[in-house]
Amino acid sequence: MFNEMSVDDQIREPYRALVDWMEASGPEVLEQKRLEAETLFRKIGITFAVYGEGGDPERLIPFDLIPRIFTSGEWRKLDRGVKQRARALNAFLYDVYHNAEIIKAGIIPADLVFRNDAFEPAVIGIDPPRNVYSHIVGVDIVRTGPEDFYVLEDNCRTPSGVSYMLENREIMMRMFPDLFKSLRIEPVESYPDMLLKTLKSIAPRKCDREPNIVVLTPGAMNSAYYEHSFLADQMGVELVEGQDLFVHEDRVYMRTTRGPARVDVIYRRIDDAYIDPLCFRPDSVLGIPGLMNVYRSGGVAICSAPGAGVADDKAVYTFVPDMIRFYLGQEPILNNVPTWKCGKPDDLKYVLEHLGELVVKEVHGSGGYGMLVGPASTKEEQAAYAKRIDADPGDFIAQPTLALSACPTFVESGVAPRHVDFRPFCLVGDDVRLTPGGLTRVAMREGSLVVNSSQGGGVKDTWIMSD
């Protein structure tokens, strides 16, 4: 396990000033600051929802006040690698909904794309503004050594967590102003402005004015509702539900107290299946009937485009390095984690024989649900999971149990290393933009590799040190 703060009992340079401050402050001050941070989270209402476990579904996300730190050199590599990946994923999406050249070239199997649950035939042939399908790409990255970064998965639909990135920084600046004065830390507060600029840049071809932008939410019961309302507020745009919008003469309108107002760009936080009951699920009450007809005619832009999810399928993920070579003519800057595809007989045999050593995931799973962490599982759990794999091998992939890096984390016993991952948020529109920071998620339980908030994980502020 690579400890990002120290190697061979020597404090790494990016953490030196922080460690000096922590030692000078003492554990009592850290505990006081932790309680202050928790109080601020409660006052602001920074929560997420977990359903099906009983009790109040609203949870306060665990916040760790010891930041994760990257040097400027480390960030430059991550910045280039994430942007490269976002470009390739969007090129892939445009291709598979048009000429499918990568499939004709024999690089990706046709069935993997066209029979994928996330592939939307209704989108075939549509040219979205700037040919961009995924406007916000969340790339989950893990680290295993000083120079070793791997992409764990891509999120091309509606990646969540950016509100935590922004609120983490706001709270840290309130609590530790002296540290921010003395250290050169890259700011992240420009993200809402960058997001708004990206959304404006994808205005549909029929838009002949300053685009009117809305954030479409499923409603207050959604687990990420706080983030929906937070981003709408930060951008100064309306937060709407499906019932607030309607279609008339190939345009989308918003109901307001002053009459209908035309909408040009919809940043939707609703799954594909629910956005238009005339095109997708007919029982949906969350979407806007006729929305896809307007989208197809160039009357509205949707961020991210319906059908973008086929690019973040965990089986398609294994081909992203090939996408980079095929579309960009470049070698990947960030490598994938080695992956076994259970749909392949040889891979399936290996996975079933080594379940106790691997992490096995559902191809369409998310949130840390439906996965098996082999080393932390019992023989009974492995046997039950093997039956699931046997029933539908193509629905599973497996990866080695990586020795994820750990960062110092303030826990009940004091400061101790805990495993972390990292999700930067890449914006794609008229340009490819990346805020110098992201969401660091931390597994608060000792030894745990699961960082998802729904599984007990917490969050940290992420500091990118400037030159």
Side-chain angles (χ1 to χ4, degrees):
M1 180 183 70
F2 173 60
N3 189 321
E4 297 192 14
M5 185 176 76
S6 62
V7 176
D8 297 329
D9 295 326
Q10 298 295 313
I11 301 301
R12 294 179 64 238
E13 186 58 37
Y15 281 88
R16 190 171 303 281
L18 177 66
V19 170
D20 290 344
W21 179 87
M22 288 168 57
E23 290 178 347
S25 300
E28 294 81 8
V29 171
L30 289 178
E31 175 62 16
Q32 178 188 346
K33 294 294 185 181
R34 186 189 68 80
L35 293 174
E36 285 179 26
E38 184 174 311
T39 300
L40 285 169
F41 266 61
R42 290 191 185 279
K43 283 184 178 179
I44 297 170
I46 306 174
T47 61
F48 67 100
V50 177
Y51 302 108
E53 295 184 3
D56 186 355
E58 289 295 321
R59 308 286 173 86
L60 190 71
I61 192 165
F63 172 68
D64 181 57
L65 52 81
I66 302 177
R68 184 186 198 176
I69 304 176
F70 289 114
T71 67
S72 57
E74 291 167 344
W75 177 249
R76 279 191 290 271
K77 177 178 180 177
L78 293 173
D79 179 88
R80 290 187 298 111
V82 169
K83 287 178 177 177
Q84 179 193 59
R85 206 165 176 100
R87 290 187 179 99
L89 288 165
N90 271 289
F92 167 75
L93 284 166
Y94 185 84
D95 184 26
V96 297
Y97 286 112
H98 289 78
N99 297 325
E101 297 294 344
I102 198 167
I103 293 171
K104 293 175 184 176
I107 295 172
I108 296 181
D111 285 355
L112 189 59
V113 175
F114 298 137
R115 293 189 178 181
N116 194 299
D117 289 344
F119 183 80
E120 298 291 0
V123 182
I124 293 174
I126 295 178
D127 292 326
R130 301 186 183 277
N131 295 338
V132 175
Y133 282 76
S134 181
H135 307 88
I136 304 162
V137 182
V139 180
D140 291 350
I141 297 171
V142 295
R143 187 176 194 176
T144 60
E147 308 294 332
D148 302 317
F149 296 93
Y150 293 91
V151 175
L152 195 60
E153 63 183 56
D154 304 290
N155 301 273
C156 296
R157 287 172 256 200
T158 54
S160 61
V162 75
S163 60
Y164 299 134
M165 174 188 82
L166 297 168
E167 292 286 27
N168 291 348
R169 177 59 55 86
E170 177 68 23
I171 287 172
M172 289 291 285
M173 291 179 72
R174 284 195 204 183
M175 295 195 304
F176 307 116
D178 292 341
L179 274 174
F180 281 87
K181 285 180 183 177
S182 61
L183 299 176
R184 301 180 64 183
I185 303 165
E186 293 282 1
V188 298
E189 59 266 21
S190 62
Y191 178 86
D193 291 335
M194 291 168 60
L195 175 59
L196 184 61
K197 187 173 183 179
T198 296
L199 294 175
K200 286 182 177 180
S201 78
I202 61 163
R205 62 177 180 271
K206 290 183 180 178
C207 180
D208 53 4
R209 54 174 192 165
E210 181 77 3
N212 187 21
I213 298 166
V214 298
V215 176
L216 175 62
T217 177
M221 293 303 293
N222 184 265
S223 61
Y225 181 73
Y226 171 80
E227 178 158 297
H228 307 166
S229 58
F230 175 84
L231 289 175
D233 181 63
Q234 291 291 305
M235 291 190 290
V237 304
E238 295 292 339
L239 178 69
V240 300
E241 297 182 27
Q243 62 190 352
D244 300 319
L245 305 178
F246 66 94
V247 168
H248 179 67
E249 294 182 349
D250 282 338
R251 290 285 198 277
V252 176
Y253 292 89
M254 172 174 54
R255 294 181 173 91
T256 76
T257 55
R258 288 182 265 182
R262 201 174 89 198
V263 172
D264 302 296
V265 180
I266 299 174
Y267 174 24
R268 55 101 178 199
R269 299 297 296 258
I270 294 178
D271 291 343
D272 288 359
Y274 301 97
I275 63 173
D276 183 352
L278 299 183
C279 186
F280 302 114
R281 282 188 57 157
D283 61 340
S284 171
V285 295
L286 301 176
I288 306 99
L291 174 63
M292 286 300 294
N293 285 336
V294 183
Y295 178 61
R296 192 175 291 109
S297 70
V300 71
I302 304 175
C303 166
S304 283
V310 71
D312 63 23
D313 175 276
K314 290 181 177 63
V316 172
Y317 151 90
T318 63
F319 292 95
V320 175
D322 296 309
M323 296 178 198
I324 292 170
R325 298 182 186 101
F326 185 78
Y327 297 115
L328 308 182
Q330 302 170 357
E331 284 299 310
I333 296 168
L334 298 175
N335 292 319
N336 276 14
V337 176
T339 303
W340 290 271
K341 291 169 275 193
C342 295
K344 299 174 66 175
D346 289 346
D347 285 11
L348 174 62
K349 183 175 183 293
Y350 180 87
V351 170
L352 292 176
E353 291 174 352
H354 297 82
L355 274 181
E357 306 165 17
L358 304 172
V359 176
V360 191
K361 305 176 184 178
E362 297 173 346
V363 165
H364 305 298
S366 64
Y369 293 106
M371 61 188 289
L372 177 80
V373 181
S377 64
T378 64
K379 292 293 184 182
E380 292 76 15
E381 289 169 335
Q382 292 169 27
Y385 209 92
K387 290 181 180 178
R388 292 184 58 203
I389 296 172
D390 272 332
D392 188 2
D395 201 37
F396 295 88
I397 57 103
Q399 295 172 328
T401 307
L402 297 179
L404 302 188
S405 66
C407 283
T409 303
F410 193 63
V411 294
E412 289 185 6
S413 59
V415 178
R418 292 292 186 268
H419 294 296
V420 291
D421 80 351
F422 181 54
R423 176 181 291 180
F425 298 87
C426 189
L427 301 173
V428 187
D430 61 335
D431 197 2
V432 181
R433 303 178 175 92
L434 190 60
T435 299
L439 178 66
T440 288
R441 301 183 297 181
V442 53
M444 301 300 289
R445 301 191 191 101
E446 185 177 3
S448 174
L449 299 174
V450 182
V451 299
N452 306 78
S453 56
S454 57
Q455 305 289 304
V459 295
K460 288 173 168 283
D461 191 16
T462 307
W463 292 2
I464 310 298
M465 309 306 292
S466 62
D467 289 325

